[in-house]
Amino acid sequence: MRTWFITGGTPGGFGLVYAEAALAQGDQVAVTTRRPGELREWAEPYGDRVLVLQLDVTDSDQVRTAVAAAEERFGGIDVLVNSAGRGWYGSIEGAPDETIRRTFDLNLFAVVEVIRAVLPGMRARGDGWIVNMSSVAGLVGAQGFGYYAAAKFAIEGLTATLRQEVEPFGVRVLAVAPGAFRTSAFSYFQHEPVSETVDAYVPMVEAVKAAFVDADGKQAGDPVRGVQAVISAMNAPVAPHRIVLGNSGYDAVVAMHENALAELHANEKLSRSADF
């Protein structure tokens, strides 16, 4: 029986889907959320195999308290899933400063805090899995959603380096890059005002918002199938470093890599001319 520590346990998100998948295979789960009352009814049938913890992942003290509570209850954490996160729309030039900072606080710095709180126990036991939820936007970019994309690009770089650093301690690391999945994520955008500070970008940002609102509930990605794909990747004889989820996301990432490789080859002489 493995113990999972999962952030982002808001109903309708990937976090609870991970929790249910772990419980279905006989594991036990610590799931975190800012509003634990929302999970009381959900958790009851699982009894002692579920620990619901109140956590604002942007609060480092709360992070360490929650990790300590999970380790005390279950004796250690075997799988960490960093699932908490969301984005806010806006242009690179005109997004409000507050939006930029909270985007990185939630999607990058909070992930760092959770990883640093969980790793000592994993290293001591010589075993563990860290699953970081990235995004297709963190591989190909996203117009009008650039700071979210930038935070997820940072998660990709952090995950790649972390994998190298913790491999000698028996800890494995996986980046998961979903495309558009039918979670509650897009539902947040409908009632959020466009707070763009540069008028020139307002039409573009409004169009991005409208696209999110229109797509809510119509996304092709199935979170349950997505999580099962992640678990299959974790259990593979040779686990991948990254898994992209969803048809449209897969196609976008493949096209990005093919175009990037073609551009590299086209500019090979320029690249090689820069050495002494």
Side-chain angles (χ1 to χ4, degrees):
M1 180 186 293
R2 296 191 296 186
T3 296
W4 296 56
F5 186 96
I6 302 168
T7 68
T10 304
F14 263 111
L16 279 192
V17 180
Y18 274 107
E20 290 171 350
L23 290 162
Q25 61 186 24
D27 292 340
Q28 51 198 11
V29 173
V31 60
T32 76
T33 176
R34 285 193 286 182
R35 296 174 294 275
E38 295 179 346
L39 301 186
R40 188 173 297 114
E41 184 176 345
W42 169 83
E44 282 180 2
Y46 300 109
D48 292 340
R49 289 200 295 137
V50 169
L51 175 63
V52 176
L53 294 166
Q54 183 172 10
L55 174 60
D56 176 353
V57 291
T58 65
D59 185 319
S60 58
D61 290 335
Q62 286 189 29
V63 166
R64 297 189 180 278
T65 297
V67 169
E71 290 177 331
E72 181 178 356
R73 168 73 171 270
F74 295 125
I77 295 168
D78 302 300
V79 182
L80 165 63
V81 179
N82 279 305
S83 184
R86 64 154 297 184
W88 290 270
Y89 43 74
S91 72
I92 298 299
E93 183 181 357
D97 289 349
E98 179 187 359
T99 298
I100 299 168
R101 293 184 183 280
R102 67 179 174 174
T103 298
F104 279 89
D105 282 344
L106 177 58
N107 295 289
L108 176 61
F109 298 125
V111 173
V112 171
E113 288 291 345
V114 177
I115 289 171
R116 294 174 73 173
V118 169
L119 260 178
M122 289 185 174
R123 282 193 296 102
R125 291 186 301 277
D127 187 47
W129 263 105
I130 296 174
V131 177
N132 289 333
M133 293 298 286
S134 176
S135 172
V136 167
L139 295 167
V140 303
Q143 181 177 266
F145 223 51
Y147 287 104
Y148 176 80
K152 292 301 187 179
F153 266 85
I155 288 294
E156 288 285 338
L158 177 126
T159 302
T161 303
L162 178 67
R163 182 182 301 112
Q164 298 172 40
E165 293 181 351
V166 301
E167 184 179 13
F169 305 109
V171 179
R172 290 155 291 179
V173 183
L174 175 66
V176 178
F181 271 70
R182 204 170 299 180
T183 67
S184 59
F186 287 9
S187 66
Y188 301 130
F189 297 115
Q190 182 160 6
H191 301 295
E192 286 187 348
V194 173
S195 53
E196 183 70 17
T197 68
V198 179
D199 290 345
Y201 298 104
V202 169
M204 180 271 289
V205 175
E206 288 181 337
V208 169
K209 174 185 176 178
F212 281 129
V213 171
D214 182 66
D216 186 32
K218 305 173 188 174
Q219 302 96 317
D222 178 352
V224 173
R225 292 187 177 189
V227 167
Q228 288 302 323
V230 173
I231 292 174
S232 294
M234 293 168 65
N235 292 332
V238 180
H241 291 173
R242 177 196 300 113
I243 181 169
V244 177
L245 300 180
N247 283 302
S248 61
Y250 179 87
D251 291 341
V253 172
V254 168
M256 178 274 295
H257 282 297
E258 289 177 342
N259 291 338
L261 187 59
E263 186 177 73
L264 276 171
H265 287 316
N267 291 281
E268 181 178 0
K269 288 184 178 179
L270 285 176
S271 297
R272 295 189 181 280
S273 72
D275 286 353
F276 285 107

